[in-house]
Amino acid sequence: SNLDYSTVFQVARGDNPDAQKLQILKEADAKLTQIIDYIDGATSEKPTFATDADITIVREARNIALSYGLKPMMWSDMFFRISNHGEYYGRTVNLPQELIDGVPDVSLVYWDYYHTKKADYRAMMKAHQRFGKDIWFAGGIWSWMGFTPSNRYSLQTMKPALDACKEYGVQNIFFTLWGDNGKECSYFALLPALYYLKRYYEGETNRAVIEKEFKNTRIIAITEPNFGELYSDTSGSDHR
């Protein structure tokens, strides 16, 4: 393939038809991997498509990241899908040792916004531990289902997730608030769920106590009846 690096930026801008995007990105990823292998000494053969300038750019980019104390992270689903017929989640997943050995020295981000049972999160965290890497958990505060927040469903999914994080010693946790489908939902409407989950992780499980604390923080002007209304039942759409 005679892929030009500028083509990747065209994809990012949306200049290419959708049918071309996957193949272009696959080729770009494969080429970048070959360059990194060459830089790291994994192979002595310089990639035929790479100029000295290409290799210098990649090397310098890595050095800049390291100079700022940055450590790369990768969303882990790509590794799971390779050996599980395109599926990510499961209480039993197939992870061949050759796949585990081939994962670079990066932190793995396990993302999950959907499950309501602790057993599902436990199984996935146990599977992630097999890689021997730092594990991050990315949960979801459901902001992508229209104008109303899905705070109630966020709690139904994230409380068992946080329980599993504690059990498996996962301390690096963050929540995504995606803006799909027009970003109609106000982020301020998600504050009750964010505050609730913070206090839940800290050990407070009494909802009445958390609601009272939230009101007293004066983060947002809200009356007691309206607080409960912010726990709407909207849910059901994947974000992948």
Side-chain angles (χ1 to χ4, degrees), residues 40-55:
D40 288 343
T43 177
S44 60
E45 295 184 13
K46 176 182 173 182
T48 57
F49 59 85
T51 66
D52 290 338
D54 293 328
I55 294 173

Side-chain angles (χ1 to χ4, degrees), residues 50-65:
T51 66
D52 290 338
D54 293 328
I55 294 173
T56 299
I57 289 171
V58 174
R59 181 182 288 116
E60 290 184 353
R62 296 181 74 195
N63 289 340
I64 290 172

Side-chain angles (χ1 to χ4, degrees), residues 54-157:
D54 293 328
I55 294 173
T56 299
I57 289 171
V58 174
R59 181 182 288 116
E60 290 184 353
R62 296 181 74 195
N63 289 340
I64 290 172
L66 292 174
S67 71
Y68 281 94
L70 300 176
K71 183 175 180 180
M73 296 161 40
M74 295 180 70
W75 295 66
S76 64
D77 55 323
M78 66 185 72
F79 303 116
F80 282 74
R81 296 183 195 277
I82 288 173
S83 56
N84 290 278
H85 306 287
E87 296 296 325
Y88 183 26
Y89 306 110
R91 296 191 183 183
T92 57
V93 293
N94 177 42
L95 295 172
Q97 190 60 43
E98 61 181 351
L99 171 65
I100 293 174
D101 294 340
V103 174
D105 185 20
V106 297
S107 298
L108 294 181
V109 183
Y110 161 39
W111 61 273
D112 195 335
Y113 323 135
Y114 313 110
H115 294 96
T116 58
K117 303 295 183 183
K118 181 181 175 182
D120 294 303
Y121 294 102
R122 293 179 75 253
M124 288 295 291
M125 289 180 186
K126 185 176 181 179
H128 277 74
Q129 286 184 336
R130 292 185 56 194
F131 289 92
K133 314 293 185 185
D134 290 337
I135 302 172
W136 287 64
F137 176 74
I141 305 298
W142 281 65
S143 56
W144 54 89
M145 286 296 296
F147 289 92
T148 59
S150 299
N151 285 320
R152 180 174 297 164
Y153 191 65
S154 296
L155 300 190
Q156 290 174 352
T157 53

Side-chain angles (χ1 to χ4, degrees), residues 220-231:
I220 185 171
I222 192 166
T223 61
E224 188 166 357
N226 287 336
F227 186 100
E229 290 172 6
L230 284 178
Y231 289 93

Side-chain angles (χ1 to χ4, degrees), residues 191-202:
L191 287 173
L194 285 168
Y195 186 80
Y196 189 108
L197 291 170
K198 169 187 179 293
R199 294 295 290 121
Y200 180 82
Y201 186 79
E202 292 171 344

Side-chain angles (χ1 to χ4, degrees), residues 34-45:
Q34 291 180 53
I35 293 175
I36 291 175
D37 285 345
Y38 175 70
I39 292 172
D40 288 343
T43 177
S44 60
E45 295 184 13

